[in-house]
Amino acid sequence: IIQIGEEHKLRHAIEIVDMQKEMHQGNMGILSRVLLNDIRTSLNQKRMSVLFINNTGYANSIFCRSCGHIEKCPYCGVSLKYYNQDHSLHCHYCGYKIAAPSQCPACGSDKIRHMGFGLDQLAEYLKRRFPGIRIGTVTGNMKRTEIKKINSAIDCGEIDVLIGTQVINKHFNLTNVGVAAAVLIDRDLNQGNYQAAETVYQTYSRFFEKAMDVTTRGIIQTHEPENETIYSIKNESFEEFYRGEIHYRELMKYPPIVNMISFGVFQKNEKEAENDAFQLYV
């Protein structure tokens, strides 16, 4: 029984890396020093690194690089979504809207940045850091022949770093993995959706379960190192996650505590759709 417990613990030895500390120490790059060192070690050991990034496009939240503050709706408690057309922040639940701040409301810093980056940017960054590295990228729109080709390359040891979205959990055989990392978990946690934490817990727990064995290093990069969902993933504790999440939903009156009805307004003209939605709301 003790041996099984030790193996279980090793298989899920996940380290949380505080990206705020990384920036304060001068690292403004996409990846932490810890993760870069682990990728380098995996390359030397001829093992594959697997990087989970659930974003192929542009991120849509803003945060403060000085203190980590993320703008949230004062009424709904969810993060506000960023719109670059008019540089504004919106709540998708109650319609609350403000201009995107030029200074952090929490600490006054002017280091306000858009949260996140895409899969392609990450691949380019790695190629600059590790010239000659063999990178495989996988997304949800891949054809069956492409999936088969990537799996064959993995089996033959022809991929040094596999970068992918949550499709990694479905179609790929992950073996000989030196490091498995969640690169951009904050984006998924701050989607402006009350179900975000639940989705993150399920998706990322499944990723680490699939990618890690007793010798694999697990890493979660985050600007919110004290986040309860992240700790529940690290501890592999559904009970811990459930207690925190159900308490939050009780406070905010979200399902399953209450029933919620969602109305959708569809119109070719975006402005007319916005006006119709507002009339329906009031």
Side-chain angles (χ1 to χ4, degrees):
I1 295 175
I2 294 175
Q3 288 179 340
I4 292 175
E6 287 299 313
E7 180 179 327
H8 181 81
K9 182 179 178 181
L10 284 170
R11 181 160 58 89
H12 298 283
I14 299 172
E15 179 179 354
I16 298 173
V17 177
D18 185 349
M19 295 301 287
Q20 286 296 120
K21 287 185 179 179
E22 287 281 324
M23 288 190 294
H24 292 159
Q25 294 169 0
N27 178 18
M28 297 298 176
I30 293 173
L31 302 182
S32 63
R33 293 185 177 95
V34 173
L35 181 51
L36 287 171
N37 287 335
D38 283 344
I39 292 173
R40 187 174 293 106
T41 298
S42 295
L43 287 170
N44 293 335
Q45 296 176 346
K46 300 188 183 306
R47 303 184 71 187
M48 186 172 67
S49 300
V50 182
L51 308 184
F52 185 102
I53 172 173
N54 207 21
N55 184 27
T56 56
Y58 194 78
N60 59 1
S61 299
I62 65 171
F63 77 106
C64 174
R65 280 197 167 188
S66 292
C67 70
H69 174 75
I70 295 172
E71 279 289 272
K72 297 185 178 182
C73 177
Y75 305 107
C76 304
V78 297
S79 64
L80 298 174
K81 291 203 170 192
Y82 173 70
Y83 285 81
N84 58 4
Q85 296 94 336
D86 59 355
H87 199 53
S88 62
L89 299 173
H90 298 234
C91 175
H92 280 200
Y93 285 101
C94 70
Y96 177 77
K97 177 181 177 180
I98 57 171
S102 58
Q103 292 184 313
C104 176
C107 72
S109 170
D110 61 357
K111 295 181 179 178
I112 299 292
R113 298 291 184 271
H114 302 110
M115 178 180 288
F117 45 88
L119 184 149
D120 293 338
Q121 295 95 314
L122 177 56
E124 291 174 3
Y125 176 82
L126 283 168
K127 289 175 181 177
R128 292 196 300 269
R129 294 300 300 250
F130 303 99
I133 195 171
R134 300 171 300 174
I135 297 177
T137 58
V138 296
T139 61
N141 58 357
M142 297 181 71
K143 297 178 181 178
R144 185 175 298 179
T145 54
E146 295 173 317
I147 294 172
K148 186 176 180 180
K149 183 178 179 180
I150 290 289
N151 272 320
S152 177
I154 292 173
D155 292 339
C156 295
E158 296 172 353
I159 293 179
D160 297 317
V161 178
L162 182 69
I163 309 173
T165 62
Q166 58 184 315
V167 71
I168 284 179
N169 293 340
K170 299 177 182 178
H171 302 301
F172 297 94
N173 305 319
L174 305 181
T175 58
N176 193 31
V177 177
V179 58
V183 177
L184 196 63
I185 196 170
D186 295 346
R187 175 188 178 275
D188 291 336
L189 281 169
N190 292 283
Q191 283 291 313
N193 185 321
Y194 77 89
Q195 294 174 303
E198 178 183 356
T199 301
V200 164
Y201 179 83
Q202 292 175 341
T203 303
Y204 283 81
S205 294
R206 193 175 300 121
F207 165 70
F208 284 113
E209 178 73 23
K210 181 166 188 176
M212 294 181 69
D213 61 23
V214 294
T215 63
T216 305
R217 283 265 295 162
I219 290 177
I220 297 176
Q221 293 191 161
T222 177
H223 291 274
E224 302 180 71
E226 302 302 322
N227 185 282
E228 292 181 359
T229 301
I230 292 176
Y231 266 93
S232 296
I233 295 169
K234 170 182 169 60
N235 298 333
E236 200 192 6
S237 174
F238 173 76
E239 291 81 5
E240 177 183 312
F241 169 75
Y242 177 80
R243 285 194 298 270
E245 184 65 10
I246 202 67
H247 178 64
Y248 164 71
R249 296 194 187 188
E250 286 172 348
L251 290 175
M252 302 304 298
K253 300 296 187 292
Y254 286 143
I257 306 304
V258 300
N259 294 322
M260 182 181 291
I261 300 174
S262 177
F263 293 95
V265 178
F266 300 92
Q267 169 61 262
K268 290 183 178 180
N269 186 299
E270 184 177 345
K271 188 63 179 177
E272 289 184 17
E274 182 179 340
N275 291 335
D276 290 345
F278 181 76
Q279 290 299 321
L280 179 63
Y281 172 71
V282 297

